[in-house]
Amino acid sequence: EQIAFEPGRPNTIAERGGAGRGPRLLFDAHVDTVAVKDGDSWIDPETGETKTEWSVDPFGGVLRDGYVWGRGSCDHKSPTASLIWAVKALDAVGVHLKGDLIVINDVDEETGGQAGLRQLASIRELRADVALFGTTTQFTPMSRRYFSAVGDVNVVRAFSGMHHYVVR
């Protein structure tokens, strides 16, 4: 289902029903990015240097050295793709979860959620027993200090990082 609160910016909600005897699991990844503006600067997550120019087209999705380079390729377009493929994999092998699975791709994480998750929650029940938000795939030297060892519970808001999950 797609619900748009602003023209051309649809939020997507996909639900996969479970057997009804287990917890409801919600995955959410945002699909918006911070705007690219002339004069912007940012900190290179690998080197800590201040950068002011793109080395590739920010909207080109350039494949280089085994990585996709472009605006939002780590935050959050790769988690969005991985969630879609995870659900496809469950279907392909015939796995039926005990509880429902809800996957949301919202369009307004970067600016407060008014056209995204905050607004969705105001018009629709988004009940879940377990929720994972922003399984971001970037894990850089600068972000490591915010994350404990893999396997520990990590709820960190507004920091970049990465964890690998195996869903059985």
Side-chain angles (χ1 to χ4, degrees):
E1 175 184 4
Q2 291 190 325
I3 301 172
F5 301 105
E6 293 179 1
R9 298 184 72 202
N11 297 279
T12 302
I13 301 173
E15 294 189 45
R16 185 176 189 268
R21 298 180 313 271
R24 289 172 54 91
L25 174 61
L26 181 134
F27 282 125
D28 177 64
H30 67 92
V31 293
D32 60 325
T33 63
V34 175
V36 176
K37 300 177 198 150
D38 289 338
D40 277 355
S41 65
W42 62 92
I43 304 296
D44 184 307
E46 293 294 331
T47 66
E49 297 175 83
T50 299
K51 299 286 187 174
T52 58
E53 295 180 12
W54 282 87
S55 60
V56 298
D57 174 0
F59 300 106
V62 175
L63 183 60
R64 181 189 295 163
D65 300 325
Y67 295 94
V68 176
W69 295 85
R71 195 76 182 119
S73 59
C74 286
D75 177 28
H76 266 166
K77 305 327 157 264
S78 53
T80 299
S82 68
L83 293 175
I84 292 167
W85 281 100
V87 173
K88 285 180 67 89
L90 291 173
D91 285 339
V93 297
V95 171
H96 300 284
L97 302 176
K98 290 181 181 178
D100 297 341
L101 173 62
I102 305 104
V103 177
I104 298 176
N105 297 129
D106 66 281
V107 299
D108 197 20
E109 184 270 347
E110 296 291 355
T111 56
Q114 294 302 323
L117 202 53
R118 183 180 305 229
Q119 189 79 322
L120 283 173
S122 75
I123 67 161
R124 179 180 173 143
E125 181 183 28
L126 300 175
R127 184 182 59 80
D129 300 302
V130 179
L132 292 175
F133 171 75
T135 50
T136 300
T137 57
Q138 58 189 26
F139 192 41
T140 64
M142 288 180 63
S143 63
R144 287 182 210 280
R145 65 186 169 142
Y146 299 108
F147 290 87
S148 54
V150 172
D152 291 352
V153 173
N154 286 279
V155 178
V156 180
R157 195 127 164 89
F159 292 107
S160 300
M162 177 179 75
H163 279 269
H164 294 272
Y165 295 93
V166 176
V167 179
R168 297 179 205 269

